[in-house]
């Protein structure tokens, strides 16, 4: 499935998987549009039927659709995993970008895309894995928070780190304000990580 013989100058073929509003997907769309990332988003897939990321993809001319991950609530497994794989193969995706995709990716997908699946996490890993990490950081009382782009492995937010960006935690922060500040950095971190991955794959 992974084409080893792509020419060095060919755009990276990225599939974006997301469950939410897709602002990280937008940051990648923007980086491609302004010429700072040589890539093409070949498809967007969401496990949430009315997620805005689908609309965002369609508005940008990207094949974008909901694919159910039922009956599971927190993982992508079984027939659903197979359906995702078929869609990814249909669009000849090389790299999978998890952009707010709130499910655990299992072995079959990992084996089909070795070192080609990235995730963005709204904390400075290995601190605060799991959900609502910005809230965990605030509750813990850390003074520096941030985001991490990492390779996906079989653990939860455990894969090796590609890019991290830090933000200060302010005295009067709310979870929402902190998450917004982290997201500003996420939107720089994902294009940066994809530039690094592209260099690894193509050079
Ligand atoms: C991002 O903050 C991302 O780091 C987080 O979901 C948000 C998605 O935003 N992901 C996780 O918490 C994964 N554990 P977006 O839909 O606007 O890109």
């Amino acid at each position: 499935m992974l084409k080893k013989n792509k020419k060095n100058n060919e755009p990276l073929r990225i599939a974006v998987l997301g469950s939410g509003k897709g602002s990280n997907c937008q940051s990648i769309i923007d980086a491609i549009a302004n010429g700072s990332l040589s890539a093409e988003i070949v498809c967007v897939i969401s496990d949430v039927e009315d997620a805005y990321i689908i609309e965002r993809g369609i508005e940008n001319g990207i094949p974008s659709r909901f694919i159910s991950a039922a009956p599971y609530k927190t993982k992508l497994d079984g027939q659903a995993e197979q359906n995702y794989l078929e869609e990814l193969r249909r669009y000849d995706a090389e790299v999978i970008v998890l952009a707010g995709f709130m499910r655990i990716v299992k072995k079959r997908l990992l084996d089909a895309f070795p070192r080609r699946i990235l995730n963005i996490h709204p904390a400075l890993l290995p601190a605060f894995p799991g959900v609502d990490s910005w809230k965990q950081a605030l509750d813990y009382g850390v003074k520096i928070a941030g985001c991490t782009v990492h390779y996906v492995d079989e653990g939860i937010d455990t894969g090796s780190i590609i890019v991290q960006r830090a933000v200060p935690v302010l005295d009067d922060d709310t979870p929402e304000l902190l998450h917004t500040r982290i997201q500003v950095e996420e939107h720089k971190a994902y294009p940066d990580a994809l530039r690094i991955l592209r260099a690894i794959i193509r050079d």
Side-chain angles (χ1 to χ4, degrees):
M1 156 179 237
L2 295 175
K3 300 242 167 73
K4 302 280 183 210
N5 57 351
K6 287 202 183 290
K7 295 201 181 71
N8 285 355
N9 58 359
E10 283 185 25
L12 208 55
R13 297 179 63 79
I14 295 172
V16 179
L17 273 52
S19 308
K21 66 183 193 291
S23 68
N24 279 288
C25 182
Q26 186 67 53
S27 76
I28 299 165
I29 292 170
D30 293 345
I32 294 169
N34 73 24
S36 66
L37 174 65
S38 174
E40 179 187 355
I41 300 182
V42 295
C43 64
V44 168
I45 311 174
S46 181
D47 62 325
V48 175
E49 199 159 8
D50 59 355
Y52 183 62
I53 193 171
I54 299 176
E55 210 174 310
R56 202 187 278 278
I58 292 168
E59 278 167 6
N60 283 279
I62 302 163
S64 305
R65 58 182 288 222
F66 161 69
I67 300 181
S68 170
Y72 305 107
K73 297 255 184 284
T74 57
K75 63 180 180 177
L76 181 63
D77 209 350
Q79 184 57 48
E81 182 184 49
Q82 182 59 33
N83 296 343
Y84 273 68
L85 261 174
E86 281 169 18
E87 185 80 348
L88 295 165
R89 289 191 173 121
R90 190 150 82 93
Y91 289 101
D92 191 23
E94 285 180 275
V95 168
I96 301 176
V97 160
L98 306 184
F101 187 64
M102 303 308 279
R103 284 179 184 272
I104 298 160
V105 171
K106 306 295 284 184
K107 193 170 168 12
R108 189 155 36 146
L109 196 58
L110 292 171
D111 287 350
F113 291 89
R115 301 285 280 183
R116 296 288 184 274
I117 307 181
L118 304 191
N119 180 47
I120 191 153
H121 184 75
L124 293 173
L125 291 171
F128 310 125
V131 295
D132 293 347
S133 307
W134 59 89
K135 192 167 180 307
Q136 291 185 52
L138 203 57
D139 290 347
Y140 197 92
V142 296
K143 300 299 176 199
I144 306 282
C147 63
T148 305
V149 181
H150 62 95
Y151 289 103
V152 177
D153 64 11
E154 286 185 68
I156 296 176
D157 303 323
T158 50
S160 43
I161 290 169
I162 304 172
V163 169
Q164 288 189 307
R165 295 184 70 93
V167 300
V169 180
L170 306 181
D171 288 343
D172 53 355
D173 258 341
T174 63
E176 294 70 29
L177 284 172
L178 180 56
H179 190 209
T180 301
R181 197 174 312 114
I182 291 170
Q183 284 224 288
V184 171
E185 298 308 311
E186 289 187 337
H187 301 158
K188 300 171 193 161
Y190 232 150
D192 276 352
L194 286 164
R195 280 187 276 272
I196 292 168
L197 184 63
R198 184 177 193 284
I200 292 168
I201 293 177
R202 289 282 189 269
D203 294 347

